[in-house]
C-alpha cells in the first residue's frame, strides 16, 4: 500500500511539474503575444500618421495648384491688358509720326 501511495505521490508530483512547465510555456506565449500586440499597435499608429501626412501633403499640393492656376489667370489678364495698351501706344505713335511727317513736308 505504501508502495502504491509512493507511486501515486510520484505521479502527482510529475503531473504538477508538467502543469507548472505548461503554465510557464503559456505565460511565455502570452508575453510574446502581448509584445507582438504592442508592436502591431505601434506600427498601426505609424501607418495612420503616415497616411494623415500624405493626405495633408496632397491637400497642400492641391491648394498650391489652385493658387498657381489663379496666378496664371491673373498674369494672362495682365498680359492682355499690356497688349491692348501696346496697340494703343503704337497707334498714338503712328499718328504722331504722321503728324510730324506732314509738318516737316509743309515746310
Amino acid at each position: 500500500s505504501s508502495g502504491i501511495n509512493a507511486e501515486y505521490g510520484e505521479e502527482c508530483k510529475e503531473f504538477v511539474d508538467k502543469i507548472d512547465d505548461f503554465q510557464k510555456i503559456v505565460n511565455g506565449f502570452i508575453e510574446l503575444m502581448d509584445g507582438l500586440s504592442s508592436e502591431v499597435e505601434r506600427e498601426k499608429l505609424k501607418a495612420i500618421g503616415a497616411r494623415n501626412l500624405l493626405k495633408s501633403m496632397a491637400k497642400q499640393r492641391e491648394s498650391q495648384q489652385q493658387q498657381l492656376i489663379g496666378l496664371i489667370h491673373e498674369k494672362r489678364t495682365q498680359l492682355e491688358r499690356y497688349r491692348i495698351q501696346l496697340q494703343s501706344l503704337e497707334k498714338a505713335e503712328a499718328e504722331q509720326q504722321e503728324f510730324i511727317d506732314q509738318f516737316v513736308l509743309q515746310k
Side-chain angles (χ1 to χ4, degrees):
S1 172
S2 74
I4 293 175
N5 283 342
E7 194 177 315
Y8 282 138
E10 186 62 32
E11 282 183 26
C12 284
K13 184 183 177 313
E14 285 177 21
F15 181 74
V16 168
D17 287 346
K18 286 181 181 178
I19 291 290
D20 284 344
D21 289 345
F22 179 73
Q23 187 64 46
K24 287 175 187 170
I25 290 169
V26 167
N27 286 342
F29 182 73
I30 289 171
E31 281 181 33
L32 178 67
M33 288 299 116
D34 284 346
L36 284 174
S37 173
S38 297
E39 185 68 27
V40 165
E41 194 60 32
R42 273 195 302 277
E43 291 302 317
K44 183 173 129 186
L45 291 174
K46 277 189 204 176
I48 289 170
R51 183 182 65 198
N52 289 342
L53 179 63
L54 285 173
K55 280 183 182 177
S56 170
M57 289 170 65
K59 283 182 183 176
Q60 191 176 3
R61 240 191 327 273
E62 191 177 318
S63 174
Q64 285 176 332
Q65 185 179 13
Q66 290 302 318
Q67 286 177 339
L68 289 173
I69 288 170
L71 186 61
I72 288 169
H73 180 70
E74 184 182 317
K75 294 297 180 186
R76 282 185 176 153
T77 303
Q78 190 177 26
L79 178 62
E80 190 55 32
R81 276 199 312 268
Y82 288 155
R83 275 196 195 121
I84 292 168
Q85 191 176 7
L86 177 62
Q87 287 174 348
S88 174
L89 289 171
E90 286 173 341
K91 183 179 176 189
E93 181 187 25
E95 288 171 356
Q96 289 173 2
Q97 190 61 48
E98 187 180 330
F99 176 77
I100 291 169
D101 290 347
Q102 285 179 359
F103 184 75
V104 168
L105 286 176
Q106 285 179 1
K107 285 196 165 190

